[in-house]
Amino acid sequence: MKKLSLLVLMAVTPCASFSAAVYDKGGTSFDAFGSIDAVLMNDHASRDISAFNGKNNNDNALLTRVKLGIAGRTKVNDSLSAIGYSMWDMPTGNHGIDKIKARAQYVGLDACQYGILTFGRGDTAFYTVAGTTDVFNQLDQKVNDYYTLGSEKPSQFMYSVSSLGWDVRLSVQTATSDVDSKNVDIHNGAAFSVATRTNSGFGFSYGINYTDFQYENDLTKVSYFAENINVMHNNSNTDDLGFAYMLRPSWKIDKGIALTYGNMYEGLYAALVGTVTKYDGFTNRLYSYEALLSYTFDIGITLCSYYGIKRFNGANIISNAVLSASYQIAPTFKIYTEASFDVNSKPERYYSHEQIRNIALGENKILIGAQYSY
């Protein structure tokens, strides 16, 4: 879960709710913020969470996760401010990440009613749709293929503007290599979204995301897609790079819509999301459907239920029901539990046995954690 779910919100209010004001003088402000989590989880959950996927044993474990962020804003004039934002996952050892991992990092200009323009690493415009169900502390769901190469993308421009009850976003992806450390190179890409919200609390958003891949005649550049390509073509050698390279996807397109009601952590919140993904050269499209219902009580308890499926060639390759509960004991401290249950999925119809094992597809996952935010 992101502290702030939309890039525009991070730009307008470029720090977490309990950030520390490091400097605020002469029209320039600078803030630091972050969180520390300690999480007890079963082995299946640890394999599913990217921050802990260095863990290679089959035991339950208590693991830690640390995020650190900084944000700055300088007033240029009454209608223009310069902004900067950066967030990292910090090294923790103990089967966590071993080096600093960048999340969102950008600089830009906030021109108030004329919109916000940023340059760097962050969510694409399509996150307006996909992010409506991004509410869990650790068990981020993978049914939406948008997240396949990570949520935040490097090397992009983003423009967003809100007016007359509408929010419009456009992001442009420039060339980048080894996206999300998956040996995938992107030649270019673009995303667009439009969203609106009624006075009664109902919201609607539509988005489209295009990604153009490049391989430069290098067989290893298809390795991320190779296992899926070989499985869908019934090739028993799922590591066959030569076969996969001949059928490699040159591009992908995500399209999606989201319907919402309310705001997360403010009483009732509900979301419905549907997306379709087409890879050039794949035998079938990928479809995902998500439903989420959450309620936050005045005493700080939040209860949430979720169901999501990802379909390929007529089969539910992922089918998860998730239940979560959290208690905000103090403004900066909460405890939470999350459990994900497989509902008769058939991951072998799209994923290799190694992929299924590595991220524990088709398995039940459970965790309990505590978080301190600053």
Side-chain angles (χ1 to χ4, degrees):
M1 175 191 168
K2 299 175 191 292
K3 181 60 65 178
L4 295 169
S5 62
L6 299 177
L7 185 145
V8 167
L9 292 181
M10 291 191 291
V12 175
T13 310
C15 55
S17 300
F18 308 106
S19 62
V22 179
Y23 180 86
D24 190 356
K25 185 177 180 180
T28 295
S29 62
F30 183 78
D31 302 278
F33 56 94
S35 63
I36 303 170
D37 289 77
V39 189
L40 178 65
M41 62 185 72
N42 68 354
D43 174 66
H44 295 146
S46 68
R47 294 181 186 278
D48 184 57
I49 300 171
S50 60
F52 304 128
N53 62 11
K55 181 175 179 290
N56 56 13
N57 59 54
N58 295 312
D59 300 320
N60 302 333
L62 177 65
L63 305 176
T64 55
R65 185 176 190 177
V66 179
K67 298 177 184 178
L68 175 64
I70 57 174
R73 172 182 291 266
T74 297
K75 182 179 179 180
V76 178
N77 55 45
D78 290 341
S79 59
L80 184 66
S81 295
I83 57 175
Y85 181 97
S86 187
M87 170 74 84
W88 304 272
D89 279 326
M90 304 303 291
T92 60
N94 188 30
H95 304 298
I97 62 174
D98 297 323
K99 58 183 179 180
I100 295 176
K101 182 178 180 180
R103 293 172 63 86
Q105 291 181 323
Y106 58 82
V107 297
L109 296 170
D110 179 358
C112 299
Q113 70 268 28
Y114 300 105
I116 300 170
L117 179 64
T118 60
F119 315 89
R121 181 187 184 95
D123 299 311
T124 74
F126 194 79
Y127 188 73
T128 301
V129 174
T132 56
T133 55
D134 184 13
V135 303
F136 296 104
N137 293 279
Q138 303 296 340
L139 288 179
D140 296 328
Q141 298 306 299
K142 295 180 171 62
V143 301
N144 195 325
D145 201 75
Y146 167 73
Y147 294 113
T148 297
L149 297 176
S151 174
E152 298 95 351
K153 300 295 192 301
S155 309
Q156 65 172 342
F157 302 85
M158 166 79 102
Y159 175 73
S160 56
V161 62
S162 297
S163 180
L164 301 175
W166 291 87
D167 180 84
V168 179
R169 303 165 195 263
L170 174 66
S171 57
V172 177
Q173 175 75 61
T174 62
T176 186
S177 302
D178 194 22
V179 179
D180 201 36
S181 301
K182 293 176 178 174
N183 197 28
V184 175
D185 293 351
I186 293 178
H187 181 242
N188 55 47
F192 169 81
S193 69
V194 58
T196 189
R197 182 183 174 90
T198 67
N199 292 333
S200 58
F202 290 95
F204 168 81
S205 57
Y206 169 80
I208 183 170
N209 179 60
Y210 171 80
T211 304
D212 184 55
F213 303 112
Q214 61 180 359
Y215 300 92
E216 299 178 344
N217 297 317
D218 184 352
L219 283 181
T220 65
K221 295 297 182 181
V222 78
S223 58
Y224 180 74
F225 301 110
E227 292 176 85
N228 303 119
I229 293 173
N230 285 310
V231 168
M232 71 179 71
H233 287 279
N234 299 312
N235 184 358
S236 59
N237 181 9
T238 57
D239 295 325
D240 189 342
L241 295 184
F243 180 80
Y245 191 82
M246 291 188 295
L247 300 171
R248 66 192 182 278
S250 57
W251 50 263
K252 69 170 287 195
I253 294 179
D254 306 290
K255 298 178 183 179
I257 60 172
L259 302 175
T260 61
Y261 175 79
N263 297 308
M264 189 65 188
Y265 302 117
E266 297 179 10
L268 178 65
Y269 176 72
L272 295 172
V273 182
T275 61
V276 56
T277 298
K278 176 177 173 58
Y279 284 89
D280 172 48
F282 276 24
T283 58
N284 298 85
R285 289 175 170 84
L286 291 154
Y287 298 89
S288 68
Y289 307 96
E290 301 173 88
L292 183 140
L293 184 65
S294 173
Y295 193 86
T296 299
F297 297 89
D298 293 338
I299 58 175
I301 293 177
T302 298
L303 303 177
C304 184
S305 61
Y306 166 95
Y307 180 63
I309 60 175
K310 184 174 186 177
R311 293 181 58 80
F312 180 80
N313 194 22
N316 290 348
I317 56 176
I318 297 178
S319 178
N320 289 335
V322 184
L323 299 174
S324 74
S326 66
Y327 178 36
Q328 195 77 42
I329 299 174
T332 58
F333 184 77
K334 70 176 178 180
I335 57 176
Y336 57 87
T337 183
E338 298 173 352
S340 175
F341 304 98
D342 177 71
V343 184
N344 197 31
S345 66
K346 296 179 173 61
E348 67 278 1
R349 297 281 291 272
Y350 181 73
Y351 300 99
S352 70
H353 293 300
E354 183 176 0
Q355 289 174 315
I356 292 171
R357 179 186 180 279
N358 286 344
I359 57 177
L361 291 172
E363 303 289 353
N364 298 330
K365 301 145 191 174
I366 188 168
L367 59 83
I368 183 170
Q371 180 186 88
Y372 180 83
S373 303
Y374 57 90

